[in-house]
Amino acid sequence: MPSSDYDPASLPDLLPLYYRRLFPFSQYYRWLNYGGVQKNYFQNREFSFTLKDDIYVRYQSFTTQNELEKEMQKMNPYKIDIGAIYSHRPNQHNTVKSGTFQALEKELVFDIDMTDYDDVRSCCSAADICSKCWTLMTIAIHILDRALREDFGFQHLLWVYSGRRGVHCWVCDEAARKLSVAARSAIAEYLSLVKGGEETVKKVVLTDPIHPSIRESLSVVERYFSQYALHEQEILGRKESVDKVLALVPEDVRKDLQQSFQNEKKPETRWKLVKDQATRKQATAKKGQHFEKEIMLQYCYPRLDVNVSKGVNHLLKSPFSVHPKTGRISVPMDLKELDTFDPFAVPTISMICEELDRPRTEEESEDTKEKENEKDAAEKRKIRDYKRTSLAKYVKYFDQFLDGMARTWKGELLRKSDLQKEF
Amino acid sequence: MYRPKVRILSNLSMEVVNNGRGTPCQAEQENKCPLYDKVSLPELVKNVIVYPRLLNNPLCLAGLSWGQLLHHLIGKMQFGSRRKKIDTSPQTELYGHALQFYVQPPLENISLSEFETFAVDRVKLLKTIENLGVSYVKLSEDYKKKLWNESRNLNFPYKLEASVKDEKKSQIGQDEYEKRRKDHISHFILRLAYCQTEDLRRWFIQQEVDLFRYRFDGMLSDQKREFLHRNNLQYNTITVEEKKSLREQLVISSYAVSGVTVESQDFYKVPFQDALDLVRTRKVYLKAGYVYIPHQDIVTIVLNDFRTRLSKALALTARSLPAVHSDERLQPLLNHLSHAYVGQDYSIQKNVGKISLEQIDSLSGKSFPLCMKQLHQSLRENHHLRHGGRMQYGLFLKGIGLSLEQALQFWRSEFTRGKVDADKFDKAYAYSIRHMFGKEGKRTDYTPYSCMKVILSNPPSQGDHHGCPFRHSDPELLKQKLQFYKVSPSGISQILELVKGMHYQLACQKYFELTHNFEDSNFSLNHPNQYFIESQRVLGGGKDIKREMEAPQRSQENSAARGSTAAREAAANASQDLAEMTEDLDSFFQDA
């Protein structure tokens, strides 16, 4: 397996090659420049680099794509983080009066980390993931993507695999980039259902009637619940798991269920018993009892790191950054293929560097027309370079995403030039 | 009682000022002082002493009105364009409604003592609002009753439901007029005091918004409509067709809307940013970035408007802050007012280093509040705490007297027992501990979290042990924990009862009383470090700790002195009397 080939010690040797020949700078710049609609948008953006031995350099900023390229090729960062767009150039933040250097805008971001699910997955814990628990990420993306698009009306959502155990979402709409801290935290809270720390057992409490947005989320969870929770995680299998589930139902129901579980071992049937109890309760109780839904949500609903989303100046790992521990590239995810996305199939840096050394096939050497990007030969060669590796399909998807956004810039730029003519 | 007016005072000669510093006033000696028999002398002296530069100020000598003074203080940008309108609008018009949007600043002359009383009373009112917000559900019967009482006691408008008809313009009684005037003026004074830092602004806005919400809630729907009309607040309603097509979603999104009432109700469609409170709590239907708000929830949009405007106004006010700082009569008072809200913050410690690391285990058993005990235990068990826990516990330890060196040693020895090696600790965690002590980054000397902060901000999530055990634990777990700490069954049920009523601080205080065999503790618990000090006091174990802790100061006390040197001198000269004057305030905030 190529993934096991990666050796963290080889990273210092591979990074120069990656930044020189593979990192998609032109797309990267195209993204963060946002069509040049706003002045100094790229120039005032904070980047921060983690270098060898965990040396952390904040407040980097670059005036052009070329400068960014040169600097990254010089520093060879182990990890790249993207921060906010500031009022001044971040690399000059010490020269402006304190208090005037302020974070103005940033994409609305979400960070979902598998460690936050440790109490509800039995397959792995902490930084480990497997194909079983990855379903949790799939569910999370389906739910959040729908809510952000349909409820909040955002359109340009870039989902990125973090390289190890989670996913990030970058909401790039202009309206999203301009959101206040209060609005960001309100959105994050609207999207959070699982609440409470180690001292809370029951972390999801639904109110009646159930909000339309949660109903939609529930319908997503329902698609996966039986296969994922009942069969793969076996939440109604071993005694400890069963007890954990039963701790979430009302006391009187708990006793009934404990008894009936004694004669019934099949997880599907056990779950049916839980649902039947809930239906019975709902018929008698005045206020809605939704404990079966609450269980489903507690086990499957996305768990957000709210603090990451709240702050405008919060840093988040950049797409196409390398995860130093796994060597995997942080790649954009095509949601059309979300259900088949396999984190273990994401290329590692050692893998794509190796692929570069392979002799070219004929087909590859012919394929040189890359749209209107008629730049110098080096640029062309680089484009061809990544195309020869398994990074290609992720960059291609990134291109599609950028094309979608470019349509809004065009409109905006047209409007602006019209305005200027009037004066 | 007759209150001296600034303008009249300005007729006094310079000698009076000096009198405040000990030299006899010539006017007084010659019995010619124009106010000599009209004002009780102590009153006058107090005014002059407290604000010795009063008569020096060209503003007063020029006989500027209160409105002009405020223009000067708040900055022309904000009100300049409206000045014309203000000057022509009669006062009765200004106070036509019990509830105000505080668009126009007050215009009249005001005495310094009135300035002070108004301001202090409003701080008291806002402080009450803050406390009530923690102990009660906002707008519950108890909350409303208590706030009603407090408004009445402090002579703020409280008869919100008074019918519109009685209030037709000039017909509001003198009494009610005075109340509204006080409400109006005091709000603007506090804007000056609370515009200075982000924290102050946030606190002030939060309390003002809660006050506004309470008052708006108390009005009849006719009055609400009139209020909206008067203040030109108009919002988009949706069409009947749109309502029909969204009918089902609207019904299940809002609690109080049923299939029947949805027909007759107006729904407002506004960008979701204008109704964040409803979005946050999922109490409204949200589609493509717009929220659909039933008429009964319109208060949310109005509040949002109120909040936005206030926030902008404060930002503008802050910009002209230098003008306030140059006014030496007002600056000390404004500073005092603004930092009074926090109460003790347990930041400056004279006993740094008086606690040894070996003592922590035993102290945590005896004198730590439950929240800190919980953090301490999970730290000892897991040899790790996540960020929220490190902040809450780390600052608490700093508050009880751990030095930076001790803190580093404490955290390092515990973390390195777990998965973190010494090298990683120095790289990843030592920074944040030095940061806590103000040695890194923007070098703020962070203060320990108050109960309010622990209860209200940053709730714990997966893997977290911080927060308030009374607020953030399942009742069942809390019960077990209390049993573990040998609290009697009757005690437990008392505590759980308080928790049920959301009186988390009272629950904690009850826990204190039960574990210290101490009935009717005579303090009001609002800070984990206060818990510790009180516990040490009762146990008598740490006598020297206690003595040293008696006088924790407010960090902002220092910032009060940041103003001009002249002001500092003035304040020093007047310190004794200032102390006297502000004693009430101090004792109030210590009780609160």
Side-chain angles (χ1 to χ4, degrees):
Chain A
M1 282 301 287
S3 65
S4 54
D5 282 356
Y6 172 75
D7 168 17
S10 66
L11 196 58
D13 300 329
L14 296 173
L15 282 172
L17 188 62
Y18 177 65
Y19 288 123
R20 214 174 56 240
R21 296 182 58 188
L22 293 168
F23 191 93
F25 284 106
S26 110
Q27 287 86 349
Y28 197 67
Y29 176 80
R30 188 183 178 209
W31 170 32
L32 295 174
N33 191 43
Y34 286 99
V37 173
Q38 268 172 276
K39 235 181 97 201
N40 291 332
Y41 215 65
F42 180 78
Q43 286 80 348
N44 289 350
R45 169 81 74 163
E46 177 187 358
F47 295 87
S48 84
F49 294 158
T50 309
L51 308 177
K52 199 168 181 290
D53 295 326
D54 285 334
I55 294 167
Y56 197 51
V57 202
R58 274 200 73 175
Y59 297 121
Q60 303 288 296
S61 64
F62 310 99
T63 41
T64 59
Q65 179 190 329
N66 201 3
E67 198 185 314
L68 169 81
E69 232 172 295
K70 290 255 158 65
E71 198 61 21
M72 293 210 335
Q73 285 162 356
K74 197 177 94 196
M75 312 258 278
N76 292 310
Y78 276 45
K79 180 169 164 250
I80 306 163
D81 285 290
I82 300 181
I85 293 121
Y86 283 82
S87 52
H88 302 77
R89 298 217 172 143
N91 58 4
Q92 299 170 352
H93 75 282
N94 279 325
T95 62
V96 295
K97 219 175 103 219
S98 75
T100 55
F101 180 70
Q102 277 169 338
L104 303 179
E105 297 189 9
K106 200 189 65 187
E107 292 78 7
L108 170 65
V109 295
F110 296 96
D111 179 8
I112 313 164
D113 192 322
M114 197 70 91
T115 43
D116 290 331
Y117 290 88
D118 275 1
D119 62 326
V120 289
R121 51 181 189 146
S122 53
C123 49
C124 331
S125 69
D128 297 330
I129 58 163
C130 67
S131 57
K132 279 185 194 168
C133 50
W134 188 255
T135 310
L136 286 169
M137 289 294 147
T138 309
I139 297 174
I141 296 173
H142 277 306
I143 287 177
L144 296 178
D145 195 71
R146 187 214 60 80
L148 288 167
R149 286 175 200 274
E150 292 176 13
D151 298 357
F152 290 96
F154 297 126
Q155 291 171 21
H156 305 288
L157 275 60
L158 182 66
W159 287 93
V160 181
Y161 170 55
S162 78
R164 193 186 198 181
R165 59 187 182 199
V167 292
H168 300 156
C169 176
W170 298 77
V171 186
C172 302
D173 297 57
E174 192 189 349
R177 283 178 269 137
K178 294 189 185 322
L179 288 170
S180 66
V181 172
R184 285 166 204 260
S185 83
I187 296 174
E189 280 177 48
Y190 176 89
L191 297 172
S192 304
L193 261 187
V194 185
K195 301 214 165 122
E198 295 294 299
E199 315 299 323
T200 320
V201 174
K202 195 165 171 62
K203 295 180 184 180
V204 177
V205 178
L206 292 175
T207 48
D208 196 69
I210 299 173
H211 190 273
S213 181
I214 298 177
R215 290 175 196 229
E216 295 282 347
S217 305
L218 268 166
S219 74
V220 174
V221 173
E222 272 159 12
R223 294 214 305 268
Y224 293 91
F225 190 76
S226 148
Q227 177 63 28
Y228 161 73
L230 299 180
H231 290 282
E232 290 173 8
Q233 297 290 347
E234 299 176 43
I235 65 166
L236 290 178
R238 281 177 306 130
K239 188 170 179 309
E240 307 96 88
S241 329
V242 173
D243 286 347
K244 259 171 118 178
V245 175
L246 290 186
L248 305 176
V249 307
E251 232 166 298
D252 49 335
V253 177
R254 193 176 308 152
K255 290 200 190 83
D256 284 2
L257 284 173
Q258 266 159 353
Q259 219 145 49
S260 41
F261 279 10
Q262 305 232 307
N263 321 316
E264 187 50 70
K265 300 290 179 222
K266 261 183 75 188
E268 221 103 67
T269 331
R270 282 185 167 185
W271 180 245
K272 192 170 175 304
L273 290 169
V274 176
K275 284 208 293 196
D276 289 347
Q277 285 283 359
T279 325
R280 202 167 311 142
K281 264 277 193 213
Q282 275 145 27
T284 52
K286 224 177 175 188
K287 270 277 172 187
Q289 282 277 355
H290 301 291
F291 58 84
E292 93 285 18
K293 297 192 177 69
E294 288 163 350
I295 293 171
M296 291 168 78
L297 292 171
Q298 178 153 347
Y299 276 84
C300 299
Y301 192 85
R303 300 174 173 210
L304 298 174
D305 186 338
V306 174
N307 291 318
V308 174
S309 305
K310 269 185 192 169
V312 179
N313 58 356
H314 209 290
L315 294 154
L316 188 66
K317 184 168 185 253
S318 163
F320 296 104
S321 180
V322 181
H323 197 292
K325 292 262 162 50
T326 62
R328 291 190 199 286
I329 314 292
S330 192
V331 292
M333 301 165 73
D334 185 352
L335 291 208
K336 285 200 286 296
E337 292 166 18
L338 177 60
D339 284 323
T340 52
F341 181 89
D342 175 5
F344 298 105
V346 170
T348 60
I349 185 167
S350 44
M351 179 172 151
I352 53 174
C353 288
E354 243 165 68
E355 286 167 347
L356 268 185
D357 295 337
R358 277 188 322 208
R360 297 157 195 242
T361 65
E362 250 171 59
E363 180 201 353
E364 274 171 345
S365 45
E366 267 172 37
D367 184 19
T368 46
K369 58 167 182 120
E370 170 61 12
K371 287 170 201 155
E372 60 261 56
N373 257 346
E374 293 292 328
K375 288 195 180 164
D376 52 331
E379 182 68 14
K380 264 192 208 156
R381 205 197 63 209
K382 192 155 53 183
I383 291 167
R384 258 173 293 149
D385 277 346
Y386 80 73
K387 285 207 166 176
R388 290 166 47 216
T389 69
S390 28
L391 197 58
K393 75 167 192 184
Y394 301 100
V395 180
K396 191 173 162 214
Y397 171 71
F398 192 43
D399 268 323
Q400 287 169 8
F401 171 78
L402 294 173
D403 289 343
M405 275 207 304
R407 284 190 274 280
T408 65
W409 304 332
K410 274 195 192 124
E412 185 64 22
L413 286 170
L414 260 173
R415 205 180 55 79
K416 271 204 166 169
S417 68
D418 280 357
L419 271 175
Q420 261 164 3
K421 270 177 216 150
E422 276 171 31
F423 288 111
Chain B
M1 199 207 332
Y2 179 80
R3 299 267 188 195
K5 298 274 180 189
V6 172
R7 199 181 39 192
I8 302 176
L9 279 175
S10 68
N11 291 336
L12 289 175
S13 59
M14 291 295 291
E15 281 86 347
V16 179
V17 180
N18 293 333
N19 185 31
R21 294 178 185 157
T23 336
C25 158
Q26 208 181 345
E28 264 177 37
Q29 281 177 343
E30 295 174 11
N31 233 347
K32 275 189 212 154
C33 175
L35 295 174
Y36 194 71
D37 27 18
K38 287 188 185 143
V39 187
S40 71
L41 205 54
E43 187 75 22
L44 173 64
V45 169
K46 184 172 136 195
N47 273 314
V48 178
I49 292 176
V50 174
Y51 309 107
R53 296 300 174 97
L54 167 66
L55 309 177
N56 256 339
N57 195 310
L59 263 183
C60 293
L61 291 175
L64 290 190
S65 72
W66 164 244
Q68 285 161 314
L69 177 67
L70 264 186
H71 277 298
H72 169 74
L73 292 172
I74 299 178
K76 276 131 204 134
M77 282 181 68
Q78 190 184 356
F79 299 109
S81 60
R82 296 208 188 94
R83 191 182 290 187
K84 254 184 211 143
K85 246 188 266 165
I86 296 165
D87 287 348
T88 52
S89 70
Q91 288 291 309
T92 42
E93 183 65 24
L94 195 57
Y95 299 138
H97 217 281
L99 183 66
Q100 302 190 37
F101 227 60
Y102 308 110
V103 177
Q104 306 172 349
L107 327 148
E108 44 183 316
N109 295 326
I110 179 176
S111 74
L112 279 168
S113 64
E114 201 171 30
F115 185 98
E116 180 205 317
T117 334
F118 278 14
V120 170
D121 283 355
R122 196 172 189 94
V123 175
K124 286 184 188 169
L125 183 66
L126 297 185
K127 186 80 190 165
T128 308
I129 289 170
E130 184 188 25
N131 288 338
L132 289 176
V134 174
S135 316
Y136 300 93
V137 179
K138 281 174 193 171
L139 301 187
S140 62
E141 281 312 310
D142 284 345
Y143 178 90
K144 288 198 277 197
K145 211 173 118 201
K146 294 233 151 78
L147 200 45
W148 190 86
N149 276 329
E150 186 73 4
S151 301
R152 204 177 59 152
N153 292 341
L154 291 170
N155 209 26
F156 282 105
Y158 62 96
K159 282 186 233 158
L160 302 163
E161 69 291 347
S163 113
V164 186
K165 276 182 202 123
D166 302 343
E167 294 176 15
K168 274 283 179 258
K169 308 300 173 227
S170 55
Q171 290 200 356
I172 55 164
Q174 185 62 25
D175 199 36
E176 184 63 18
Y177 173 83
E178 283 300 329
K179 288 190 173 66
R180 292 178 188 183
R181 176 174 165 270
K182 179 176 181 177
D183 180 51
H184 182 214
I185 294 176
S186 62
H187 170 85
F188 273 90
I189 297 175
L190 292 206
R191 278 193 188 184
L192 292 174
Y194 284 85
C195 69
Q196 311 190 26
T197 69
E198 183 60 37
D199 276 350
L200 291 174
R201 287 197 287 270
R202 196 177 307 137
W203 184 85
F204 178 65
I205 292 172
Q206 186 56 49
Q207 310 322 321
E208 283 286 339
V209 165
D210 281 348
L211 175 63
F212 187 93
R213 190 202 321 262
Y214 156 75
R215 288 178 175 170
F216 192 86
D217 178 73
M219 294 197 304
L220 304 169
S221 71
D222 275 0
Q223 290 172 297
K224 288 182 189 169
R225 205 158 296 141
E226 206 221 291
F227 176 81
L228 296 180
H229 178 71
R230 179 192 285 272
N231 289 288
N232 234 342
L233 302 168
Q234 284 166 351
Y235 307 103
N236 281 340
T237 51
I238 60 172
T239 61
V240 180
E241 290 80 52
E242 201 172 0
K243 198 161 32 173
K244 250 187 207 141
S245 72
L246 296 173
R247 193 166 177 276
E248 198 198 337
Q249 278 87 340
L250 293 176
V251 171
I252 56 175
S253 303
S254 321
Y255 295 120
V257 178
S258 67
V260 186
T261 55
V262 77
E263 304 289 332
S264 58
Q265 274 211 38
D266 271 345
F267 277 84
Y268 302 91
K269 178 180 175 181
V270 297
F272 78 91
Q273 285 97 330
D274 293 345
L276 293 177
D277 285 342
L278 293 178
V279 172
R280 193 188 313 278
T281 49
R282 254 180 263 107
K283 279 187 181 144
V284 69
Y285 180 55
L286 179 59
K287 189 184 166 205
Y290 286 89
V291 289
Y292 295 76
I293 302 178
H295 179 74
Q296 53 173 0
D297 285 339
I298 196 173
V299 61
T300 321
I301 331 177
V302 181
L303 272 175
N304 179 65
D305 232 345
F306 181 75
R307 181 192 292 270
T308 318
R309 290 188 200 199
L310 184 54
S311 161
K312 276 193 192 137
L314 287 178
L316 283 170
T317 311
R319 223 179 274 175
S320 11
L321 211 57
V324 181
H325 277 304
S326 68
D327 193 307
E328 291 128 11
R329 300 162 307 154
L330 302 180
Q331 201 225 354
L333 177 65
L334 291 178
N335 271 324
H336 193 85
L337 282 171
S338 64
H339 68 244
Y341 89 93
V342 271
Q344 299 183 334
D345 71 7
Y346 302 92
S347 64
I348 295 176
Q349 291 304 327
K350 289 180 188 142
N351 58 322
V352 170
K354 292 257 168 90
I355 286 181
S356 71
L357 294 183
E358 291 72 45
Q359 276 177 290
I360 292 182
D361 277 324
S362 79
L363 282 174
S364 83
K366 285 183 290 186
S367 291
F368 281 17
L370 209 48
C371 53
M372 300 303 166
K373 212 180 276 188
Q374 182 173 302
L375 283 166
H376 183 76
Q377 273 181 348
S378 58
L379 176 65
R380 289 283 195 228
E381 274 162 28
N382 309 321
H383 312 297
H384 191 270
L385 278 182
R386 300 193 5 153
H387 178 77
R390 291 202 302 276
M391 288 300 285
Q392 184 177 326
Y393 190 40
L395 288 171
F396 170 80
L397 289 176
K398 173 181 159 190
I400 68 170
L402 242 56
S403 67
L404 172 59
E405 290 68 32
Q406 285 180 307
L408 282 169
Q409 196 192 334
F410 174 74
W411 291 101
R412 184 183 291 118
S413 70
E414 201 57 55
F415 269 50
T416 49
R417 236 168 265 174
K419 282 185 194 159
V420 179
D421 60 38
D423 195 40
K424 170 138 197 232
F425 179 86
D426 288 341
K427 273 179 194 152
Y429 299 100
Y431 178 92
S432 72
I433 290 159
R434 285 196 301 275
H435 195 263
M436 249 183 238
F437 281 76
K439 304 292 180 213
E440 298 281 0
K442 58 180 173 178
R443 300 189 172 257
T444 312
D445 200 2
Y446 289 91
T447 53
Y449 291 174
S450 66
C451 292
M452 208 87 79
K453 180 152 176 134
V454 172
I455 292 171
L456 294 177
S457 61
N458 193 22
S461 61
Q462 177 58 36
D464 283 331
H465 295 272
H466 70 261
C468 169
F470 299 98
R471 168 71 183 86
H472 298 117
S473 300
D474 279 343
E476 198 48 40
L477 282 184
L478 179 61
K479 194 171 154 189
Q480 286 172 18
K481 204 170 292 174
L482 293 170
Q483 281 164 345
F484 179 77
Y485 289 122
K486 310 255 179 332
V487 179
S488 66
S490 75
I492 292 179
S493 69
Q494 281 178 42
I495 290 176
L496 290 178
E497 199 53 40
L498 286 166
V499 168
K500 214 165 146 201
M502 309 212 328
H503 308 290
Y504 310 116
Q505 283 163 272
L506 293 179
C508 188
Q509 186 150 8
K510 176 58 75 185
Y511 173 76
F512 178 95
E513 289 167 5
L514 290 166
T515 47
H516 290 77
N517 288 325
F518 192 70
E519 269 173 43
D520 283 336
S521 47
N522 53 356
F523 62 96
S524 161
L525 185 66
N526 56 28
H527 204 296
N529 288 79
Q530 180 192 14
Y531 185 107
F532 177 77
I533 292 172
E534 293 294 344
S535 167
Q536 289 290 302
R537 202 197 298 273
V538 172
L539 298 173
K543 270 198 181 99
D544 53 348
I545 293 174
K546 188 209 98 189
R547 207 179 319 117
E548 299 288 343
M549 293 257 200
E550 287 273 60
Q553 292 174 30
R554 301 178 190 86
S555 61
Q556 278 142 338
E557 201 95 310
N558 300 328
S559 70
R562 235 188 275 139
S564 66
T565 7
R568 212 178 305 158
E569 269 171 39
N573 285 327
S575 62
Q576 205 179 341
D577 299 76
L578 186 64
E580 197 177 297
M581 178 193 88
T582 52
E583 201 174 6
D584 288 352
L585 204 56
D586 279 333
S587 61
F588 173 78
F589 288 115
Q590 269 154 25
D591 295 345

